[in-house]
Amino acid sequence: MGSLSIWHWLIVLLVVVLVFGTKKLANIGSDMGKAVKGFKEGMKSDEEEPASTPSKQQIPGQTVEGEVKEKTQTKA
């Protein structure tokens, strides 16, 4: 029970082609390629996102935590 030889892999490939058909296998390969490409683009955009977001000091009109904009009197 050693490793599988090239003949075993060819027989497995032949059975897979007979079961699924070449058109369906091509569609599966295309879909897998698109999924991998989308995953890579998503990972790349996640890495670039922190560098492109402005810091809190650069956003105009932003309230700093604890800052009071308007002081109002409440009746007790």
Side-chain angles (χ1 to χ4, degrees):
M1 292 287 265
S3 64
L4 297 176
S5 70
I6 187 71
W7 295 110
H8 290 102
W9 288 114
L10 288 175
I11 291 171
V12 169
L13 180 64
L14 179 67
V15 170
V16 168
V17 169
L18 288 175
V19 169
F20 293 109
T22 56
K23 191 176 274 190
K24 191 172 229 177
L25 289 175
N27 289 341
I28 291 171
S30 173
D31 292 341
M32 287 295 291
K34 288 178 185 176
V36 169
K37 185 176 180 181
F39 178 76
K40 285 182 180 179
E41 288 175 359
M43 292 298 291
K44 192 179 294 185
S45 68
D46 284 347
E47 291 173 357
E48 294 172 357
E49 186 175 322
S52 65
T53 53
S55 67
K56 290 182 180 179
Q57 295 173 350
Q58 296 175 345
I59 300 174
Q62 182 179 5
T63 306
V64 177
E65 186 176 340
E67 180 182 355
V68 178
K69 283 191 164 191
E70 185 177 316
K71 194 172 190 179
T72 59
Q73 296 284 335
T74 58
K75 295 180 181 180

